[in-house]
């Protein structure tokens, strides 16, 4: 089998919060245009893993990171890395939808504006494109100047996706994006993810093993900071190699 | 003697507590009422728009109002940028270490230093060492330093109330730290910062001791033309006419006190209204 | 592609972050500057009088020849006024704080807090003015004195000024006691007062002590009101009904008459040093109490 282009490679990645080790020598690859699902019980290090990838972990006090993370062959903890450019390249969707307290338009134009795009026509174009890609355009096109806070939960989450798409990222990280949503909204977000895969590489952290089995191409199982198993989703859910994976996906703990 | 039942003890204690509170609140009500009652008669158009005459026994207080306005404006201009930046540093940049602890201690001390010591400091640094002379500049800077803790504390509280998630979202969208502060954190902290600024205005308008040796003129009927001029100020004027000059009609004194109190309490009411609105409106 | 490049945006931000960091330490610089300038101007007086005689000397005659620079009477004046104010303000302030924090709710609580805020806002010179025109004549008449401007008058007016500090900081400390402590006590059948007395107040004690100290600090540093109502006699007061003079009012009253660079001028700055050290110690200790509680 020919190795696909690996977008993200982590080698022996360790993360400590103070004395507590949250990730223990994680080595894995995320391939281009796949959805990598990451499952595992609470506090298994899944969200930490996402936060290292776009260096949001820098915000947390007293953290220490060792090992290497290569994104398109560039070491992201290396010297002279433009963290802001990195975060534009690796977008992030949070567990709870957090619209900034401003209009729908301004929410989506936020990233491009900070990157120096000032022209109104250009911003309008980006906003429309992003909203369409997140399946929100039809619902909000007549009220772009409304506050983003006035949208429903599902709409807010799609707004957040659109906001990330406006950065024209290459990788999108989803941190339990449906944990606060009802089944219908969850379905819409999942649909959007499957569509996004055509143009982006996605990493999806989820508490919901069923969700991983529905959308992920490959799935990784994290437990207490360790990577227990990574495999094709179908294989992992039918014939898990590790006993602990089997226990987890069959709901025996977690 | 039989021991009182807990219920009855509680009743007695609570009534004593309410009595004490009442006693503590009486002065503020009394002071305000007395000054309004006696001062209202003195206030008219002439009082507010002319200079004092006849050894300050007659006429108005316009120069003092103008002087206080200059000092307050100056104090705000100097204190707000530094205070807001210092609060941004403490809330957004500082890590938990000895330096942060030292800064906190320094702020507490700035807040606790006696107002007359600020006067000495202003005299030593601005008037003499920097050769500003007794001037609006020296007085406003002294007031600004004295009120720095007010601005820092209020701004810091306002910044801390902006949810951390907003910062994470902004940074995750590729904004730099400063862009995050400027475009997300500060706009959402504005009402709180405003509260701090208004409180500073109120304090700067009422302080006497810090301006005693740095700017205030006893009697100066004209208006200032540069920041190196001396001015009269409302609190200084009230001090002068109530202790230094014999045979002044009580109504002139009460009138001056009322104008000063009105300015200060009026400004404070604005703070209270902003805060109440803010509490109702907060969405996140 | 991810390499950092310096452009005008990055340079601007580097500059502004530098300014922010500088502003962060500005308060430390200011405290340092205040102390340095007090020392610079005040230290010269110790060429004429040694520090011990300065503090313990009973006579303050700064303009006689030769001058006497002993500030004991001023220290005792400050002490007397502060003691009187503390005796009035501490019990009233702490009980009011308990009442506002634990007993009242809703509108009443709002109104009381606004009242305290207004009290804090009243300028010291206005308090002094009211002391002169309202309280002093009453004191004079009641005790049949030659003058109503006494230590007692000063103590009463200053207790009013200390009240907001004591009430608001104590109230914060009481409100900060976690709700579950109260719920646990109430669930065991304690009355509200028993809960306050045995559970809430002990846990808030550090904050309340700090509040009292800061209130006292405010009184010691207070200048205008005390200068206007205590009569300004630089003698050691023997009763609450005599006039006295404090450290602060001495500086405020005499600085205007001194010649810059004269012995008298140095001596007033030296008093400033004493005041600075007193308030520094009080604030530092109060902060320790406030801090202890949070750990």
């Amino acid at each position: 089998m020919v190795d696909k282009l690996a977008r993200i490679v982590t080698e022996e990645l360790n993360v400590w919060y103070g004395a507590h080790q949250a990730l223990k020598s994680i080595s894995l690859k995320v391939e281009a245009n796949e959805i990598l699902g990451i499952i595992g019980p609470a506090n298994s290090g899944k969200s930490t893993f996402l936060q290292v990838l776009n260096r949001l972990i820098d915000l947390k006090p007293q953290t220490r990171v060792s090992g290497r993370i290569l994104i398109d062959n560039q070491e992201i903890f290396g010297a002279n890395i433009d963290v802001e450019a990195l975060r534009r390249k690796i977008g992030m969707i949070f567990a709870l939808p957090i619209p900034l307290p401003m209009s729908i338009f301004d929410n989506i134009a936020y990233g491009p504006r900070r990157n120096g795009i000032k022209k109104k026509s250009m911003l309008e174009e980006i906003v429309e494109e992003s909203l369409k890609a997140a399946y929100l355009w039809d619902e909000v096109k007549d009220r772009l100047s409304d506050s983003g806070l006035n949208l429903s939960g599902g709409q807010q989450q799609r707004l957040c996706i659109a906001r990330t798409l406006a950065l024209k990222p290459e990788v999108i990280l989803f941190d339990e994006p449906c944990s606060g949503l009802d089944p219908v909204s969850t379905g819409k977000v999942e649909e959007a993810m499957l569509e996004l895969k055509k143009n982006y590489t996605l990493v999806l952290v989820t508490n919901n093993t069923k969700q991983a089995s529905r959308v992920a191409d490959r799935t990784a199982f994290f437990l207490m900071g360790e990577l227990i198993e990574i495999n094709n989703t179908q294989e992992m859910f039918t014939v898990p190699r590790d006993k602990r994976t089997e226990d987890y996906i069959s709901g025996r703990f977690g | 003697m039989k021991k009182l039942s807990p219920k009855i003890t509680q009743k007695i204690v609570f009534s004593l507590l309410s009595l004490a509170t009442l006693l503590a609140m009486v002065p503020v009500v009394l002071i305000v009422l007395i000054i309004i009652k006696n001062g209202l008669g003195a206030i008219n158009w002439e009082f507010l728009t002319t200079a004092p005459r006849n050894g300050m026994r007659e006429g108005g207080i316009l120069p003092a109002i103008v002087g206080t306005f200059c000092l307050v404006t100056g104090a705000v201009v100097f204190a707000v940028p530094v205070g807001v930046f210092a609060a941004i540093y403490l809330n957004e940049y500082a890590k938990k270490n000895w330096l942060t602890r030292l800064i906190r201690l320094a702020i507490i001390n700035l807040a606790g230093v006696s107002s007359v010591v600020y006067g000495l400091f202003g005299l030593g640094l601005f008037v003499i060492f920097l050769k500003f002379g007794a001037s609006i500049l020296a007085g406003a800077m002294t007031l600004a330093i004295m009120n720095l803790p007010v601005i820092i504390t209020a701004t810091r509280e306002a910044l801390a109330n902006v949810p951390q998630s907003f910062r994470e979202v902004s940074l995750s969208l590729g904004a730099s730290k400063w862009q995050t502060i400027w475009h997300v954190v500060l706009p959402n902290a504005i009402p709180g910062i405003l509260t701090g600024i208004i409180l500073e205005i109120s304090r700067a308008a009422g302080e006497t001791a810090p301006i005693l040796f740095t700017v205030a003129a006893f009697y100066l009927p004209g208006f200032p033309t540069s920041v190196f001029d001396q001015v009269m100020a409302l609190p200084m004027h009230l001090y002068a006419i109530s202790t230094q000059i014999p045979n002044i009609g009580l109504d002139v004194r009460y009138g001056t006190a009322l104008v000063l109190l009105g300015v200060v309490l009026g400004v404070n009411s604005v703070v209270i209204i902003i805060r109440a609105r803010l509490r109702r409106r907060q969405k996140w | 592609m991810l390499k950092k490049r310096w452009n005008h945006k990055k340079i601007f931000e580097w500059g502004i972050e530098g300014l922010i960091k500088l502003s962060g330490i500005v308060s430390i610089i200011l405290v340092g500057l205040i102390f340095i300038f007090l020392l610079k101007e005040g230290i010269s007086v110790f060429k004429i009088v040694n520090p011990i005689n300065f503090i313990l000397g009973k006579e303050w005659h700064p303009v006689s020849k030769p001058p006497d620079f002993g500030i004991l009477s001023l220290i005792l004046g400050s002490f007397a006024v502060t003691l009187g104010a503390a005796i009035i303000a501490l019990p009233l302030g702490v009980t009011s704080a308990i009442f506002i924090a634990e007993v009242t709710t809703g509108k009443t609580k709002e109104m009381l807090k606004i009242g305290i805020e207004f009290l804090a806002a009243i300028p010291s010179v206005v308090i002094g003015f009211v002391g002169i025109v309202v309280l002093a004549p009453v004191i004079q008449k009641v005790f049949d004195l030659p003058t109503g401007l006494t230590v007692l008058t000063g103590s009463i007016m200053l207790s009013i000024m200390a009240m907001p500090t004591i009430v608001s900081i104590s109230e914060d400390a009481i409100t900060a006691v976690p709700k579950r402590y109260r719920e646990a006590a109430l669930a065991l059948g304690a009355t509200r007062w028993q809960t306050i007395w045995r559970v809430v107040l002990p846990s808030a004690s550090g904050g309340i002590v700090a509040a009292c100290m800061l209130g006292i600090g405010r009184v010691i540093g207070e200048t205008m009101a005390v200068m206007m109502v205590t009569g300004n006699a630089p003698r050691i007061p023997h009763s609450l009904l005599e006039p006295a003079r404090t450290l602060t009012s001495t500086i405020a009253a005499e600085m205007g008459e001194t010649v810059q660079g004269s012995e008298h001028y140095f001596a007033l700055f030296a008093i400033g040093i004493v005041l600075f050290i007193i308030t520094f110690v009080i604030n530092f200790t109060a902060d320790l109490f406030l801090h202890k509680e949070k750990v």
Side-chain angles (χ1 to χ4, degrees), chain B residues 8 24 36 48 50 59 67 81 116 119 127 159 194 198 230 240 262 268 274:
Chain B
I8 294 175
I36 291 178
L48 295 174
T50 61
V116 76
V127 177
L159 296 175
L194 221 55
I198 297 171
Q230 276 192 289
N268 267 271
I274 293 182

Side-chain angles (χ1 to χ4, degrees), chain C residues 218-231:
Chain C
R218 171 111 207 250
V219 173
I220 295 178
E222 173 42 47
T223 311
M224 297 313 289
V226 83
M227 172 161 73
M228 291 163 84
V229 300
T230 45

Side-chain angles (χ1 to χ4, degrees), chain A residues 197-217:
Chain A
K197 169 171 108 158
K198 292 175 190 156
N199 300 312
Y200 306 90
T201 302
L202 274 62
V203 181
L204 165 69
V205 158
T206 177
N207 267 333
N208 178 345
T209 47
K210 295 242 168 58
Q211 182 170 51
S213 73
R214 282 195 298 265
V215 297
D217 298 301

